[in-house]
C-alpha cells in the first residue's frame, strides 16, 4: 500500500527548499442496514382447525395447583408455518396469566394438514376465582394472525363459573 506524497512549495520565497508533507487518508466506514426478514406468506390465509384440548373450560383446581394445558390444532392453510408461536393477547382478571410465558413456540415448521400439540405448564392462582388467558397465533416477526384465538379458562377453589354465561360470551364482552 502506497502513502500519497504531496510536495508543497512556498511561492513567497523562491529560494526555499520544497517541503514534503505526508497525507494519511482516513477511512470512514459505511454502515449498511440489513432489513429484518419479512413474512413471505399472506397472514390472512393462515388458518387452523381446533382438534382438541386438555383441561376443558371451567375445570376446577385447588389454589396453587400446577397443571399442563395442551391444545391440538391442525394447519388447514395452504402454507407452512415457520417460526410461529402463540402469544398472550389478554387475561381475566388483567395481569393474571397463570404463570404462562408471554410466547409459546410452535414447532419450527408446521406443514399444511399437519397436526401439532401445543403444551404449556400453568399454575392456578392462590385466590379463589375464575381465570382466563387468551392467546393468538403470530408469525416469526410477531405479527398477530387474525381469527386464531385459543384460551384456557379455570375455576380456582370455591368460585363458581357464572351460571348460564359461556366463556365465549365473557371473552366477547371484554372487547
Amino acid at each position: 500500500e502506497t502513502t500519497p506524497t504531496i510536495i508543497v512549495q512556498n511561492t513567497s520565497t523562491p529560494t526555499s527548499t520544497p517541503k514534503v508533507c505526508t497525507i494519511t487518508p482516513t477511512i470512514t466506514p459505511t454502515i449498511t442496514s440489513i432489513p429484518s426478514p419479512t413474512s413471505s406468506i399472506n397472514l390472512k390465509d393462515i388458518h387452523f382447525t381446533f382438534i382438541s384440548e386438555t383441561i376443558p373450560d371451567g375445570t376446577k383446581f385447588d389454589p396453587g395447583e400446577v397443571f399442563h394445558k395442551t391444545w391440538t390444532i391442525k394447519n388447514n392453510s395452504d402454507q407452512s408455518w415457520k417460526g410461529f408461536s402463540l402469544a398472550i393477547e389478554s387475561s381475566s382478571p388483567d395481569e393474571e396469566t397463570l404463570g404462562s410465558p408471554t410466547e409459546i413456540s410452535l414447532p419450527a415448521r408446521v406443514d399444511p394438514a399437519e397436526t401439532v400439540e401445543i403444551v404449556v405448564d400453568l399454575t392456578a392462582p392462590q385466590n379463589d376465582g375464575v381465570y382466563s388467558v387468551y392467546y393468538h397465533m403470530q408469525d416469526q416477526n410477531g405479527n398477530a394472525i387474525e381469527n386464531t384465538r385459543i384460551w384456557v379458562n379455570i375455576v380456582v377453589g370455591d368460585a363458581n363459573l357464572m351460571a348460564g354465561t359461556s366463556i365465549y360470551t365473557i371473552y366477547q364482552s371484554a372487547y
Side-chain angles (χ1 to χ4, degrees):
E1 184 173 337
T2 309
T3 303
T5 303
I6 297 178
I7 299 175
V8 178
Q9 188 163 1
N10 186 342
T11 57
S12 62
T13 332
T15 58
S16 301
T17 56
K19 295 183 182 186
V20 176
C21 297
T22 303
I23 298 176
T24 305
T26 303
I27 299 173
T28 305
T30 303
I31 299 173
T32 306
S33 64
I34 299 171
S36 51
T38 57
S39 179
S40 61
I41 59 176
N42 184 349
L43 297 181
K44 292 185 186 243
D45 293 336
I46 299 297
H47 308 283
F48 71 78
T49 300
F50 175 83
I51 305 294
S52 65
E53 67 182 344
T54 61
I55 317 299
D57 292 341
T59 299
K60 195 168 187 172
F61 288 96
D62 291 326
E65 188 174 347
V66 175
F67 61 100
H68 310 284
K69 173 75 175 188
T70 303
W71 296 275
T72 303
I73 62 173
K74 180 180 179 180
N75 177 353
N76 64 348
S77 307
D78 293 333
Q79 306 169 64
S80 294
W81 305 337
K82 297 176 188 168
F84 282 29
S85 61
L86 288 182
I88 291 179
E89 183 174 285
S90 64
S91 63
S92 176
D94 287 340
E95 305 301 320
E96 178 50 72
T97 60
L98 309 178
S100 175
T102 55
E103 269 186 51
I104 304 166
S105 295
L106 274 63
R109 180 185 175 111
V110 181
D111 290 321
E114 188 176 350
T115 299
V116 61
E117 286 188 344
I118 305 162
V119 181
V120 63
D121 295 331
L122 301 169
T123 304
Q126 291 298 322
N127 297 320
D128 291 358
V130 177
Y131 298 89
S132 300
V133 181
Y134 303 96
Y135 302 84
H136 63 259
M137 196 169 3
Q138 63 183 18
D139 71 3
Q140 71 275 16
N141 297 316
N143 299 308
I145 300 170
E146 293 179 22
N147 301 315
T148 59
R149 290 183 186 103
I150 57 177
W151 56 84
V152 57
N153 170 267
I154 63 168
V155 176
V156 177
D158 292 328
N160 291 318
L161 191 57
M162 292 177 257
T165 305
S166 72
I167 297 307
Y168 182 75
T169 304
I170 293 169
Y171 176 76
Q172 292 298 86
S173 68
Y175 296 93

